[in-house]
Amino acid sequence: MTDLLHPSGPITPGLSQSGGRNYDYTKTYSPDKPGEGAKENARVWNVYLDEAENYDMDMIQGFRNIIDGLLVFAALFSAVVTTFVAQTSQALQPDNSQIMVSLLIETNQLLRAAGNQTSINAVHTASLGPESQTYTSIDVWVNGLFFTSLALSLSTALLSVLAKQWIQAYTAIVPGGAKTRAVTRHFRFKGLEKWKLGDIIESLPLILHCSVAIFLIGLSLYISQLSRPICGVVAGITALTFLFYFGSSIIPAFDIACPYRVPFMFSLAQLLIF
């Protein structure tokens, strides 16, 4: 019956198995000769390398999953924001049609004044000229928010690519014996902890989240110029989304069993609350 439950065969007493891996290093590596327990290829270094390799594999895979997801989302989101920027940035340029209409009205009034023998000084000067600004404060705010969102999104993509290179440098193969590779790996790992590489990578999604929030605020302002009811709907969706976002980030700090946990946000929430 035991053989049926374990396809690899019967379990040997004293042998721990997980996914085909043998954790009994006394059977994996031959014992060292007396006085050679700390030499270049001693069993202790090989055991350390095996354990470190499994730890690093899980850690690096988690980092890569975060970075790959960020790169895909940042690329798509940047394309969306760029489309809006191309449209709204035109409002910051002088509206030549409005300026032309204003100048034509002034010219028409001058001609009428000349025909009626009215003083030219009585004709009001055109409200818009060649150097006049035709955009509003809302146009400035909308474009400022959209450009900021785009800058944050592209910065996240750049930092993600940079983090990929850091990971590649950490996992680079080291030539030499087991002791040399073990010491080098430990040196790299202590540097990784000292310079907070994990915290930096886990904080990258927060930058992209801020970019999305800024874009949605700008989108609400932009739509407010077109339709108040639609603006209310978009603003309501934005408010509910980020209310849930912040709520789901804070709840795990109070209830440890809550699964709505993002590592960096969870640590930040605990720091702010406690």
Side-chain angles (χ1 to χ4, degrees), residues 5-115:
L5 296 176
H6 297 274
S8 59
I11 300 177
T12 304
L15 185 62
S16 175
Q17 292 184 340
S18 177
R21 180 188 169 200
N22 190 349
Y23 286 89
D24 190 349
Y25 294 106
T26 61
K27 300 183 181 299
T28 304
Y29 301 105
S30 57
D32 300 321
K33 295 179 180 180
E36 297 183 356
K39 286 194 172 181
E40 183 66 27
N41 291 307
R43 181 166 66 178
V44 62
W45 306 120
N46 289 289
V47 171
Y48 173 84
L49 287 173
D50 282 351
E51 293 294 338
E53 180 183 358
N54 284 286
Y55 180 86
D56 288 347
M57 186 181 301
D58 292 338
M59 178 182 65
I60 297 301
Q61 186 60 43
F63 290 162
R64 284 174 174 165
N65 289 339
I66 293 175
I67 293 173
D68 291 342
L70 283 176
L71 287 173
V72 173
F73 185 81
L76 296 175
F77 181 66
S78 297
V80 172
V81 178
T82 301
T83 303
F84 279 90
V85 166
Q87 178 67 29
T88 59
S89 60
Q90 298 177 9
L92 298 180
Q93 301 175 358
D95 191 339
N96 293 323
S97 61
Q98 291 185 13
I99 295 174
M100 183 63 68
V101 169
S102 180
L103 293 176
L104 286 175
I105 292 174
E106 182 185 12
T107 303
N108 185 42
Q109 291 176 347
L110 289 173
L111 291 174
R112 286 185 177 182

Side-chain angles (χ1 to χ4, degrees), residues 10-244:
I11 300 177
T12 304
L15 185 62
S16 175
Q17 292 184 340
S18 177
R21 180 188 169 200
N22 190 349
Y23 286 89
D24 190 349
Y25 294 106
T26 61
K27 300 183 181 299
T28 304
Y29 301 105
S30 57
D32 300 321
K33 295 179 180 180
E36 297 183 356
K39 286 194 172 181
E40 183 66 27
N41 291 307
R43 181 166 66 178
V44 62
W45 306 120
N46 289 289
V47 171
Y48 173 84
L49 287 173
D50 282 351
E51 293 294 338
E53 180 183 358
N54 284 286
Y55 180 86
D56 288 347
M57 186 181 301
D58 292 338
M59 178 182 65
I60 297 301
Q61 186 60 43
F63 290 162
R64 284 174 174 165
N65 289 339
I66 293 175
I67 293 173
D68 291 342
L70 283 176
L71 287 173
V72 173
F73 185 81
L76 296 175
F77 181 66
S78 297
V80 172
V81 178
T82 301
T83 303
F84 279 90
V85 166
Q87 178 67 29
T88 59
S89 60
Q90 298 177 9
L92 298 180
Q93 301 175 358
D95 191 339
N96 293 323
S97 61
Q98 291 185 13
I99 295 174
M100 183 63 68
V101 169
S102 180
L103 293 176
L104 286 175
I105 292 174
E106 182 185 12
T107 303
N108 185 42
Q109 291 176 347
L110 289 173
L111 291 174
R112 286 185 177 182
N116 297 333
Q117 297 182 350
T118 305
S119 174
I120 296 178
N121 295 329
V123 178
H124 296 289
T125 306
S127 59
L128 296 177
E131 302 298 329
S132 299
Q133 296 179 350
T134 57
Y135 54 82
T136 64
S137 59
I138 293 183
D139 292 327
V140 176
W141 273 100
V142 168
N143 281 276
L145 292 170
F146 281 174
F147 276 107
T148 302
S149 176
L150 180 60
L152 289 175
S153 179
L154 294 177
S155 298
T156 303
L158 176 61
L159 293 175
S160 297
V161 173
L162 192 60
K164 264 186 170 292
Q165 294 177 325
W166 295 341
I167 292 174
Q168 185 64 31
Y170 176 80
T171 58
I173 298 176
V174 179
K179 181 178 180 180
T180 300
R181 289 183 285 120
V183 172
T184 303
R185 185 268 169 191
H186 183 71
F187 175 78
R188 289 177 175 177
F189 182 76
K190 297 303 291 184
L192 181 146
E193 288 186 323
K194 177 182 178 180
W195 292 97
K196 308 294 184 183
L197 177 59
D199 293 339
I200 292 175
I201 293 177
E202 290 176 352
S203 66
L204 290 178
L206 187 60
I207 302 176
L208 197 55
H209 298 167
C210 292
S211 177
V212 175
I214 292 172
F215 171 76
L216 290 175
I217 294 173
L219 182 63
S220 300
L221 286 176
Y222 175 68
I223 297 177
S224 68
Q225 302 178 92
L226 306 176
S227 173
R228 292 288 181 178
I230 298 177
C231 174
V233 173
V234 174
I237 293 174
T238 301
L240 290 175
T241 299
F242 281 93
L243 181 63
F244 178 80

